[in-house]
Amino acid sequence: MTGPAQSGEDLYAGLDERQRYELDRRCDYHPPKNLETAEAHARWRAAIKVVMAEAMRSLPAGRETSMVLTSLDDALMYGNAAIARPPMSGGRKVGH
């Protein structure tokens, strides 16, 4: 299977401006803009780590516990993405 990236075509061909922005927002690396952003990532990681440690301590081994830990991995990833990525065009305000 070949797409624009493999065939040398323009990656953005056929996409409107909103779609181009969304593609970049979702896929590009977004390094911390400043110390405040880096600290927000650290706080989020620490909060998830507390909950994950409690799950490891108090839940019995099994499929459901494994799913809890996987869900917390997902929450960590999505939280960091929410901090790192620029806002969606026309997206919700913080806290919604």
Side-chain angles (χ1 to χ4, degrees), residues 14-33:
L15 301 179
D16 64 29
E17 187 174 331
R18 183 192 56 77
Q19 290 170 318
R20 290 173 186 217
Y21 174 83
E22 187 64 13
L23 181 63
D24 289 344
R25 190 188 75 78
R26 287 176 178 258
C27 296
D28 289 356
Y29 173 66
H30 306 289
K33 298 175 193 131

Side-chain angles (χ1 to χ4, degrees), residues 7-85:
S7 65
E9 294 176 31
D10 179 10
L11 177 66
Y12 299 101
L15 301 179
D16 64 29
E17 187 174 331
R18 183 192 56 77
Q19 290 170 318
R20 290 173 186 217
Y21 174 83
E22 187 64 13
L23 181 63
D24 289 344
R25 190 188 75 78
R26 287 176 178 258
C27 296
D28 289 356
Y29 173 66
H30 306 289
K33 298 175 193 131
N34 51 41
L35 182 58
E36 182 180 339
T37 302
E39 289 171 345
H41 283 289
R43 284 191 305 274
W44 182 246
R45 283 192 305 274
I48 295 295
K49 195 171 188 177
V50 167
V51 177
M52 193 175 281
E54 183 58 31
M56 289 174 169
R57 272 192 293 274
S58 62
L59 299 175
R63 180 177 182 271
E64 291 79 6
T65 298
S66 181
M67 291 181 73
V68 166
L69 296 174
T70 298
S71 294
L72 289 168
D73 284 335
D74 290 344
L76 179 61
M77 177 191 65
Y78 287 126
N80 277 321
I83 293 165
R85 289 176 174 172

